[in-house]
Amino acid sequence: MKKKWISFLLAVAITLAANPAHAHAALTPTGEHAQHAIQTASSWAVEPINEAISKRLFLPDYSLDYQSSITRMDFCTIAVRWLEYAMGETIDVILYEKGLSIDETAFDDFAYLPIVNESKYVYAAYALGITNGIGENLFGPLNTIDRQQAATFVQRTLKVAGASMSAASQADFTDMAQAASWAAESINYVRAHTIMNGTSTNPPRFSPTLTYTYEQALATFARIDRDALLPYPAKQVPTVYGIALGDSKAQVEKKMGTPNRVFPCTSGTMYVYHSEDYTTFVTASFADATGKVTSLYTTGFKGFDRNDMIGQRVLVTTYADVYDNGRVYASSFSDPYAFYTAGVTEEEAQTAHIFALTNAFRALHSAAPLTWNEALETAAQNHAEDMRANNYFDHISPSGSTSLSRALAAGYPQESTTMLLGENINMEYASAEEVLNSWVNSSGHRTNMLIPYYEELGVGHKDIFYVQVFGTRQ
């Protein structure tokens, strides 16, 4: 069913199309996998695997055996994600800066695999020279790799990142004669920089043709000393009002104080902070699994440097106002590796959040914040529930009730001689932010939200139905 919304102002109904939010995406793990790593990895590998996961290098299957042989596809995925971590940029930006692009016709053996993100990383690794195919336009995504191939891939990855490729001394492994000639330089390199160790010490052996495992691959990339090998400092994590993705609740509260509101959200909690006039407005969503910030939302351009976000491994969503020359009025910054949507869940929390978002939008246009009115809330909630129960979407109900009659029935206005009233309705959007965005980009709704002489607001929500009722008593 097509998304719908209608605004009502003094008996005038207007329906217009909304401009959807525009998103710039990156890719996908979180701390939920730490426990999984402990269950299936060797004891020595638990710490480096969790370090690799904290750097967002891998998104494993929950059934994965970390001691099993790693595939070519997954090794390339880890390598490219390490590049994103080390260089502080998305793979799209890395390729762009190097004048490269992905050729999705390079290999013919990805079509039958449901691995869109992983195939993208393989194509990126191929474009960057980290890996080659196995011939005849084939990559062999599910083929395993051996230790000498792993060493070669790692050295090439570091070369892409800008590490010095100065010749390393001959490794002291007694079985170097078993290594392919093309792998000798790479084995010497990873040994010299203590990135890959041998399989035994007495005598020292590398075992170049032994297959490499998931835990060994993750430990290898976790072991790389980024700051020692790369000739430039790591990028600082971008922040919004000093809050960074990955901050704990304690860190956020230390920076921002006690939140104005706390809402439940999908698999997590949302903190809402705003100034009294809503000119400062930011939300921070935390994942229950990690207790860390996975999403930030703010209005306007205060509190962060937009240039800091460009190219970062951050999912940036901007919300533009088509009736303000396409001006971006809000932005969200999310961890693309988090396994949940940051939206508020409970209906009562949704209505309170829409109220706060509305005031934040008004503040951008110098309109005074509205106050919550219980009678208008009752009118709005009754209408949302009636639309849900009777399967319609309109300002006038099948029984003939209107926004005016519903407000009067709910007791608004109280002891007032005159009033002004407006109503917005909406259906099918999943989050409060999306609901607000649809209203912002529909002329009638936007007008209602910005009318300066409205003083009060009530919000209702039932399933997919949302209602705002604005009022002024005189």
Side-chain angles (χ1 to χ4, degrees):
M1 184 182 296
K2 185 179 179 180
K3 294 181 176 66
K4 300 179 180 178
W5 54 89
I6 298 177
S7 67
F8 179 82
L9 171 61
L10 301 179
V12 177
I14 305 174
T15 306
L16 290 173
N19 182 44
H22 300 285
H24 169 67
L27 289 146
T28 331
T30 69
E32 292 180 6
H33 297 120
Q35 184 62 37
H36 181 67
I38 292 172
Q39 292 172 354
T40 63
S42 302
S43 58
W44 65 264
V46 171
E47 183 176 347
I49 287 175
N50 286 333
E51 182 180 350
I53 289 171
S54 72
K55 294 175 180 177
R56 308 170 186 170
L57 304 187
F58 191 53
L59 174 58
D61 188 307
Y62 283 106
S63 63
L64 176 70
D65 178 2
Y66 282 86
Q67 299 180 55
S68 64
S69 299
I70 192 168
T71 64
R72 284 167 54 83
M73 172 184 67
D74 285 342
F75 195 92
C76 287
T77 299
I78 295 170
V80 174
R81 283 181 173 160
W82 184 86
L83 278 177
E84 291 185 315
Y85 156 75
M87 300 178 74
E89 297 176 333
T90 62
I91 186 56
D92 299 303
V93 173
I94 293 170
L95 289 168
Y96 176 80
E97 290 178 343
K98 293 182 177 295
L100 301 172
S101 60
I102 287 175
D103 178 9
E104 295 185 354
T105 65
F107 305 116
D108 297 332
D109 50 355
F110 279 101
Y112 66 95
L113 294 173
I115 46 174
V116 176
N117 284 346
E118 285 78 358
S119 62
K120 173 184 177 178
Y121 278 136
V122 169
Y123 288 128
Y126 177 67
L128 291 165
I130 295 172
T131 184
N132 297 311
I134 60 175
E136 299 181 351
N137 289 337
L138 299 177
F139 178 74
L142 300 184
N143 293 2
T144 59
I145 68 170
D146 58 27
R147 291 175 55 82
Q148 62 185 349
Q149 290 172 323
T152 304
F153 287 175
V154 168
Q155 185 191 28
R156 291 172 180 171
T157 301
L158 283 163
K159 182 179 180 179
V160 172
S164 171
M165 291 289 111
S166 56
S169 59
Q170 177 71 33
D172 57 353
F173 298 120
T174 60
D175 57 351
M176 283 296 289
Q178 299 176 19
S181 58
W182 49 261
E185 178 187 342
S186 297
I187 294 173
N188 292 335
Y189 185 89
V190 296
R191 175 63 164 175
H193 293 286
T194 63
I195 297 170
M196 288 180 67
N197 299 318
T199 56
S200 66
T201 56
N202 190 20
R205 297 179 60 83
F206 185 74
S207 304
T209 60
L210 190 67
T211 56
Y212 219 45
T213 66
Y214 281 90
E215 63 184 10
Q216 289 170 337
L218 289 167
T220 294
F221 281 96
R223 193 180 293 127
I224 295 173
D225 188 341
R226 182 238 174 269
D227 293 335
L229 288 173
L230 300 190
Y232 50 88
K235 284 190 174 183
Q236 297 299 308
V237 177
T239 63
V240 177
Y241 288 103
I243 307 172
L245 296 176
D247 279 356
S248 67
K249 290 182 179 179
Q251 289 174 310
V252 172
E253 290 172 3
K254 182 177 181 180
K255 295 172 182 176
M256 300 292 291
T258 302
N260 297 86
R261 297 294 299 267
V262 177
F263 295 135
C265 57
T266 310
S267 302
T269 304
M270 177 186 287
Y271 280 9
V272 180
Y273 290 97
H274 62 78
S275 57
E276 186 175 355
D277 61 0
Y278 287 85
T279 54
T280 297
F281 184 87
V282 62
T283 70
S285 297
F286 303 85
D288 284 340
T290 62
K292 305 291 187 180
V293 175
T294 58
S295 181
L296 296 163
Y297 175 98
T298 187
T299 52
F301 287 96
K302 292 174 58 180
F304 72 98
D305 184 345
R306 189 168 183 77
N307 291 327
D308 286 347
M309 302 292 180
I310 297 174
Q312 290 278 359
R313 291 198 301 170
V314 175
L315 177 63
V316 181
T317 303
T318 57
Y319 299 87
D321 181 352
V322 297
Y323 295 101
D324 191 13
N325 297 315
R327 175 191 180 194
V328 173
Y329 70 88
S331 304
S332 70
F333 310 97
S334 304
D335 180 351
Y337 298 84
F339 285 102
Y340 76 103
T341 302
V344 172
T345 50
E346 295 180 2
E347 289 182 348
E348 184 176 348
Q350 282 270 35
T351 60
H353 193 34
I354 289 173
F355 172 79
L357 290 168
T358 302
N359 274 335
F361 181 67
R362 285 173 63 88
L364 294 174
H365 298 273
S366 302
L370 304 167
T371 58
W372 186 264
N373 183 275
E374 292 185 1
L376 294 179
E377 175 195 9
T378 299
Q381 187 63 33
N382 287 346
H383 190 42
E385 293 179 2
D386 190 56
M387 286 192 291
R388 175 65 181 85
N390 293 294
N391 194 28
Y392 74 96
F393 183 70
D394 205 332
H395 291 284
I396 302 176
S397 74
S399 64
S401 73
T402 65
S403 57
L404 176 59
S405 65
R406 289 187 292 270
L408 291 172
Y412 189 89
Q414 292 138 346
E415 300 179 0
S416 299
T417 56
T418 61
M419 69 171 177
L420 296 172
L421 198 68
E423 181 179 87
N424 286 345
I425 61 177
N426 186 297
M427 67 180 293
E428 292 191 13
Y429 282 92
S431 71
E433 292 81 3
E434 290 174 342
V435 170
L436 182 86
N437 189 59
S438 72
W439 282 332
V440 166
N441 286 284
S442 179
S443 178
H445 306 84
R446 186 178 184 278
T447 297
N448 272 346
M449 291 193 294
L450 294 180
I451 287 177
Y453 47 75
Y454 281 149
E455 297 176 347
E456 297 169 306
L457 174 63
V459 183
H461 173 217
K462 186 63 177 180
D463 291 346
I464 62 173
F465 296 93
Y466 301 83
V467 180
Q468 286 177 312
V469 182
F470 303 85
T472 298
R473 293 175 287 178
Q474 297 178 350

